[in-house]
Amino acid sequence: SVPQTNPHSAVILARQAIKKEQLEFAEHTILPLFAYQDRAVQGTYAEVLYSMGRKSEAFGIWEKFDETIILERAANQPSGEGDDQSVLEAYRSLYRLDPEKYTSSLAFTLKAQGKNAEAEELLLLSRNDYPNSEYSSDWLRYLADSYVARGDWQQAEDVYLQTIQENATDGRAWRNLGLLYSNQMNMPQKAIECFQEMVSRFPGETYGYSYLAQSYEKIGDFENALATYQSLLLISPGDSTALQAVERLSNEENPNP
């Protein structure tokens, strides 16, 4: 039978005990009231479970009550050693509550934990289930990033190009494709074309100029590298890397006799 105790009084006592780290007392206070389908009681019990390290049970309760803010907080806690599984479980709960919103977060977590195949499957599933989502081209870019991480450069190139075709204003896609050409595929001219596109589309963003200048240097085109760094300094006059590069390249262009 349900105890006749006022559940909200017990909630207050239990929360005070949690703050004092008196977790057994908190559990004994709140557990007899668990039969109440009361959000405050259930939520407090979840806090007790979480503090006791029984995080999966806590996530289940928070998921039941659609507590996305609390689950986000749990997922974003600094991960201690061996806590990766809890972070993953929290994101799985969030994904079940709102698959479209939390696909990216779950995919990132899976990828960070070496579960690339599952991350890729998730991204493809969401692309299929939510073809008109505002995140759709992002998912495609994340998929290409995953292909880069596992060394499938040709497939990564194809998917980055598809991303750009769907969303030509995706600066990260232009950047990542350019870096793929520059660092993995040894195609510096194509890298330059990507970074030129970045500078053209996002003239106020400094990183496009940096990548473009570095790519010019890589092929020995010091004149264009110097001009690009100088353009960068018009946007960010105090950029120390660009200032040093201008000085170095000016000496290359005009060596002392």
Side-chain angles (χ1 to χ4, degrees):
S1 62
V2 176
Q4 298 304 308
T5 309
N6 182 332
H8 291 161
S9 298
V11 165
I12 293 170
L13 285 173
R15 288 186 183 278
Q16 290 173 341
I18 292 170
K19 289 180 181 179
K20 297 176 182 178
E21 298 185 354
Q22 298 171 348
L23 300 180
E24 287 190 11
F25 177 78
E27 183 180 25
H28 291 154
T29 301
I30 204 72
L31 190 56
L33 304 174
F34 193 67
Y36 283 101
Q37 291 302 308
D38 181 278
R39 193 183 193 98
V41 170
Q42 299 271 329
T44 302
Y45 184 52
E47 288 182 45
V48 174
L49 292 173
Y50 186 85
S51 298
M52 296 177 76
R54 294 160 62 182
K55 296 181 179 181
S56 295
E57 295 172 72
F59 296 156
I61 294 171
W62 287 328
E63 183 180 338
K64 175 184 174 183
F65 286 94
D66 200 14
E67 295 282 10
T68 56
I69 293 175
I70 298 175
L71 284 165
E72 284 182 0
R73 194 179 306 138
N76 291 317
Q77 285 291 318
S79 297
E81 188 173 344
D83 203 40
D84 286 351
Q85 185 60 35
S86 295
V87 172
L88 182 57
E89 286 183 23
Y91 277 123
R92 288 194 192 281
S93 286
L94 286 164
Y95 173 79
R96 285 191 290 269
L97 290 172
D98 191 339
E100 182 180 6
K101 180 177 179 179
Y102 291 105
T103 288
S104 298
S105 297
L106 179 54
F108 280 141
T109 304
L110 288 165
K111 185 169 175 283
Q113 296 187 18
K115 304 178 189 294
N116 280 32
E118 187 177 350
E120 291 168 11
E121 183 178 348
L122 178 73
L123 292 164
L124 288 168
L125 178 64
S126 289
R127 284 268 303 174
N128 183 70
D129 289 348
Y130 306 99
N132 298 318
S133 172
E134 62 180 302
Y135 310 116
S136 187
S137 65
D138 290 337
W139 297 334
L140 202 57
R141 170 165 40 82
Y142 300 151
L143 186 62
D145 293 343
S146 183
Y147 293 148
V148 172
R150 62 179 170 89
D152 192 343
W153 300 333
Q154 185 58 60
Q155 193 162 6
E157 179 192 16
D158 292 342
V159 176
Y160 281 135
L161 290 171
Q162 184 182 349
T163 305
I164 290 165
Q165 185 176 12
E166 290 187 12
N167 180 13
T169 63
D170 188 334
R172 292 183 180 89
W174 286 109
R175 177 197 64 193
N176 293 358
L177 178 58
L179 291 173
L180 175 66
Y181 285 139
S182 179
N183 298 336
Q184 278 86 28
M185 301 183 75
N186 194 28
M187 303 171 75
Q189 191 56 49
K190 283 198 169 186
I192 286 170
E193 291 170 7
C194 288
F195 299 140
Q196 285 175 333
E197 192 70 32
M198 285 179 65
V199 168
S200 174
R201 289 181 177 275
F202 314 102
E205 298 289 343
T206 60
Y207 58 85
Y209 294 90
S210 294
Y211 289 130
L212 180 57
Q214 291 164 17
S215 297
Y216 281 133
E217 280 199 78
K218 192 172 183 178
I219 63 171
D221 187 347
F222 301 127
E223 181 180 353
N224 275 319
L226 175 60
T228 304
Y229 279 123
Q230 289 170 332
S231 296
L232 190 160
L233 288 171
L234 294 176
I235 302 166
S236 180
D239 190 297
S240 59
T241 300
L243 287 168
Q244 292 169 13
V246 166
E247 182 178 358
R248 172 172 46 80
L249 291 168
S250 295
N251 292 334
E252 297 245 3
E253 288 285 298
N254 303 292
N256 292 325

